[in-house]
Amino acid sequence: MKRPTLTLKYAAITLLLAGITSTSFAEDTASQTCPTPIMLSSGWYLGLQGGYDSFKVKTNVTTPGGASTLVTNPSMNAIGWTGGMMLGYGMMLNDWFYTGAEIFANLTDAERYFTNTSAGSTYSNKVKVKSTYGIGILPGIRFTDSTLTYARLGWNSATFKTTETVTSVATATRNNTSNGFVVGVGIETYTNTNWSLRGEFDHTWYSSYNTKTVYTTGVKPSDNQFMLAMLYHFT
């Protein structure tokens, strides 16, 4: 007659232990919080960028008269590394559409060198791009919760240093500023709440300018640029 009593006691103890274990597990599960998903956000950001410039520089050269007269129209690439900073503000207009605006300033070492010998005289022309800066509007579309694709529409300005020399004629050097419209495409993805990475390709049509020295050389530049950037978002 004692065995049923012992069996009931063991069953009661088993149920009690099971209840304590399940309650403890439920409390532990409830105490665990899910990680916050990385989401596109609105607000100010500051970034560092670096990449590669490939300027196409078309020139219209007419050297001073006399034995050294030279008329030529070379088109050369001025290539080099570039890097700088940007400051901008972006915001999500709704679940899908994004818009932003930013300013930037870069230094570059892009340059090209051209020589031509005619009638016993040698003409040389060196163009070096010193810096670029500009402003842009960035409309975009959310691709995932943390990634967007965007376009760049803006206005850029660049400083060009031109050095020209003809045998027996003094060297002439002049800095010229050229402005132009830029269009580009890019993709940006957040690595965590405050940091994101960006890759972008741009093309800029710069305005023509004249060196306005004794050579009065006409220059028509444009630029293909690829940039990588790391951005810090303040919100």
Side-chain angles (χ1 to χ4, degrees), residues 21-48:
T21 302
S22 61
T23 301
S24 177
F25 178 78
E27 291 176 352
D28 290 342
T29 303
S31 64
Q32 295 177 356
T33 57
C34 295
T36 303
I38 301 175
M39 301 286 289
L40 297 172
S41 61
S42 300
W44 291 96
Y45 59 86
L46 182 68
L48 294 175

Side-chain angles (χ1 to χ4, degrees), residues 13-145:
I13 292 171
T14 301
L15 290 173
L16 179 61
L17 291 175
I20 293 173
T21 302
S22 61
T23 301
S24 177
F25 178 78
E27 291 176 352
D28 290 342
T29 303
S31 64
Q32 295 177 356
T33 57
C34 295
T36 303
I38 301 175
M39 301 286 289
L40 297 172
S41 61
S42 300
W44 291 96
Y45 59 86
L46 182 68
L48 294 175
Q49 59 184 357
Y52 197 71
D53 275 322
S54 179
F55 284 85
K56 185 175 184 180
V57 183
K58 298 180 179 179
T59 54
N60 184 3
V61 180
T62 303
T63 60
S68 61
T69 298
L70 172 67
V71 177
T72 185
N73 305 99
S75 180
M76 302 290 289
N77 284 338
I79 58 177
W81 299 102
T82 183
M85 300 180 64
M86 88 279 285
L87 173 67
Y89 184 88
M91 62 179 178
M92 295 298 300
L93 299 177
N94 54 36
D95 289 341
W96 292 100
F97 295 103
Y98 168 91
T99 188
E102 67 181 40
I103 57 175
F104 76 89
N106 294 328
L107 296 177
T108 178
D109 64 358
E111 64 179 31
R112 67 95 169 171
Y113 185 76
F114 165 79
T115 61
N116 186 293
T117 300
S118 176
S121 295
T122 298
Y123 167 83
S124 64
N125 181 313
K126 181 180 180 180
V127 174
K128 179 176 177 60
V129 189
K130 301 175 66 176
S131 61
T132 60
Y133 60 90
I135 185 170
I137 302 297
L138 284 69
I141 298 176
R142 182 177 70 88
F143 187 67
T144 68
D145 287 342

